[in-house]
Amino acid sequence: MNRDIALCYWYSSVLYAFLRGFILLVLVGGPVHASQDGIESLRQTSKAFASVAREVSPSVVFIQVESKVSGSSVSQFSSPFGDDFLRHFFGLPQLPDTPRYNPPKSERRIMGQGSGFVFSGKKGILSDKTYVMTNNHVVENADKISVKFLDGREFDAKVTGADAQSDVAVIEIKVSGVPALSLADSSTLEVGEWVVAIGNPFGLSHTLTVGVVSAKGRTSVGISDYEDFIQTDAAINPGNSGGPLVNMEGEFVGMKTAIFSRIGGYMVICFAKPSNLVKTIADQLIDKGEVTRGYLGIVIQPLTSDLAKSFDVDVGQGILVAEVSKDSPAEKAGLHAGDVIVGYRGKPVNDVGAFRNQVSLTAPGSKEEVAIVRKGDRKTLHVTIGKLTKDKLMAMGPEQSTSEIGLTVQTVTKDLAEQFNVKPGEGVIVTAVDPGSVAALAGIRPGTVILQVNRKPVKNAEAFRQAIKNTEDKRVLLLISVDGAQRFIVLTW
């Protein structure tokens, strides 16, 4: 993270030095034609951004939500976005105790805000309907939703469908004639391309920021269950969530979701969900009100350099099958623990998160090819994709990241249980520890088995992630096992 922030500062310094030198060249009487060409180039770039803003802004909306909650009022000093949100996404320290007014517990109403954009519209005999895309966390548990357009028109909205696992939601309003954003193929987006973000940061309607695509295919970030993020340096702040990220043609390439920063403000790492993923989810929400995901029934893990040598494959080639669920589509197709999956549907596989997304977006019932390497031999298996249900997700979840304490854990499989002297379904295995994190400072290392969170057993990686997420006082008691020896430790963040 520090390296990314340092690069941001370096990039800004280089850009500043270049512009300063260019301006000095013009002022001291450099070649006239060179100065004019440079100024004209900057002018055209400026006009291009202005053109994108004019084209896209009418499709972007400011979303306000109202929810009922029980309990006493929050502190008069609390952030409207929630202190938990600010600490998680901005890395802000715990605020000192401040005076609080605590009336008797009663029902109260809280307000929230975010961004969205017109995705599509349908005309009916009785009424017209317009669909607006946003993040699930913007409208989740909302009792009242309203959207406001650039021209001042405001409408009540209702949720068409929402998917917490991908953090995508579609809401609908009764209005016609609103332009929908054009859709671009996010797979063609390249690192270094200019992108424009439009939204409502801190309630400041239709704010435009500009940046480049910093990276693609970011998975295992720990923001949502299904991840394939576009990373950008276009400034995103609270209130931007759900707004569009567009290319220089004004086409939708991503939906802004989250930011990470140790200092808050502009110098941050920003993430957006790619349009291809979002569109697939949104289409299902509009058509069926829910998302149906494909299911294989395997536990998978990344191939480290040591594992790659052990399984006779090249580093960066494929992902490892740690366990195959009984009577699952994978077992019926002939997949075994220890197989290395190197291809799916004719495309290479080398990332756990990307593979999980590909399977989840495959229609249940379809027959697909899975290429594997088994004991040095390459084979092609044919599998009939099953339907993922909630109980299957909890039982067979892959690695889960908990950014609060800096851990990545994996469900204890049969093979892992034998290796670490525990029972299958008993605890989780730590597979990665972020340097300098709370967990690292407490001495937790990869290979540590976590058996309990706050004196309650954890049976899989997803249950562990939820237990950490639901910890209210930012203090957690863990029962861990190292080399068969158990002990309790306390983590505070």
Side-chain angles (χ1 to χ4, degrees), residues 2-12:
N2 288 332
R3 179 176 177 271
D4 289 331
I5 295 175
L7 286 174
C8 288
Y9 278 112
W10 179 85
Y11 174 79
S12 301

Side-chain angles (χ1 to χ4, degrees), residues 151-168:
D151 59 11
R153 288 184 297 167
E154 192 168 351
F155 303 90
D156 290 334
K158 68 176 184 178
V159 176
T160 305
D163 181 53
Q165 290 176 287
S166 63
D167 198 17
V168 174

Side-chain angles (χ1 to χ4, degrees), residues 258-295:
I259 56 179
F260 281 111
S261 173
R262 293 186 184 276
I263 58 176
Y266 179 74
M267 291 298 180
V268 297
I269 298 175
C270 310
F271 296 103
K273 291 185 176 295
S275 58
N276 290 0
L277 174 63
V278 173
K279 181 183 183 301
T280 302
I281 299 296
D283 285 343
Q284 292 193 53
L285 292 176
I286 291 174
D287 293 339
K288 299 181 294 186
E290 63 178 3
V291 177
T292 301
R293 290 186 167 88
Y295 168 72

Side-chain angles (χ1 to χ4, degrees), residues 19 42 77 123 153 164 222 281 344 358 368 378 419 468 477 487:
L19 292 176
L42 291 175
F77 299 102
K123 290 188 176 181
R153 288 184 297 167
I281 299 296
Y344 180 68
Q358 290 170 346
E368 306 295 345
R378 188 181 178 101
Q419 182 180 350
I468 298 298
L477 174 67
R487 62 188 177 93

Side-chain angles (χ1 to χ4, degrees), residues 287-324:
D287 293 339
K288 299 181 294 186
E290 63 178 3
V291 177
T292 301
R293 290 186 167 88
Y295 168 72
L296 268 181
I298 57 177
V299 172
I300 52 180
Q301 65 183 90
L303 271 174
T304 64
S305 57
D306 291 337
L307 286 173
K309 293 178 182 178
S310 300
F311 288 92
D312 198 19
V313 294
D314 296 331
V315 177
Q317 178 188 1
I319 58 176
L320 181 62
V321 178
E323 184 177 356
V324 179

Side-chain angles (χ1 to χ4, degrees), residues 106-243:
S106 61
E107 185 180 88
R108 59 189 176 86
R109 307 187 75 85
I110 59 173
M111 304 296 293
Q113 60 189 29
S115 305
F117 57 95
V118 176
F119 173 60
S120 66
K122 289 185 177 180
K123 290 188 176 181
I125 298 176
L126 299 179
S127 64
D128 293 321
K129 185 181 295 184
T130 293
Y131 295 108
V132 173
M133 189 101 68
T134 189
N135 285 138
N136 174 70
H137 73 258
V138 172
V139 297
E140 189 176 22
N141 301 321
D143 296 306
K144 182 180 180 180
I145 306 172
S146 63
V147 300
K148 187 175 183 179
F149 286 87
L150 179 64
D151 59 11
R153 288 184 297 167
E154 192 168 351
F155 303 90
D156 290 334
K158 68 176 184 178
V159 176
T160 305
D163 181 53
Q165 290 176 287
S166 63
D167 198 17
V168 174
V170 176
I171 60 178
E172 59 186 69
I173 54 177
K174 291 185 176 181
V175 64
S176 61
V178 181
L181 285 188
S182 298
L183 180 72
D185 181 358
S186 55
S187 67
T188 65
L189 197 63
E190 296 184 11
V191 174
E193 279 192 50
W194 284 107
V195 284
V196 176
I198 300 181
N200 306 284
F202 303 108
L204 301 173
S205 176
H206 293 80
T207 297
L208 178 144
T209 55
V210 174
V212 298
V213 175
S214 306
K216 294 175 57 180
R218 294 294 196 200
T219 60
S220 302
V221 178
I223 298 173
S224 59
D225 291 335
Y226 291 90
E227 300 181 337
D228 181 23
F229 288 111
I230 299 168
Q231 181 183 324
T232 176
D233 64 352
I236 299 175
N237 289 291
N240 269 119
S241 289

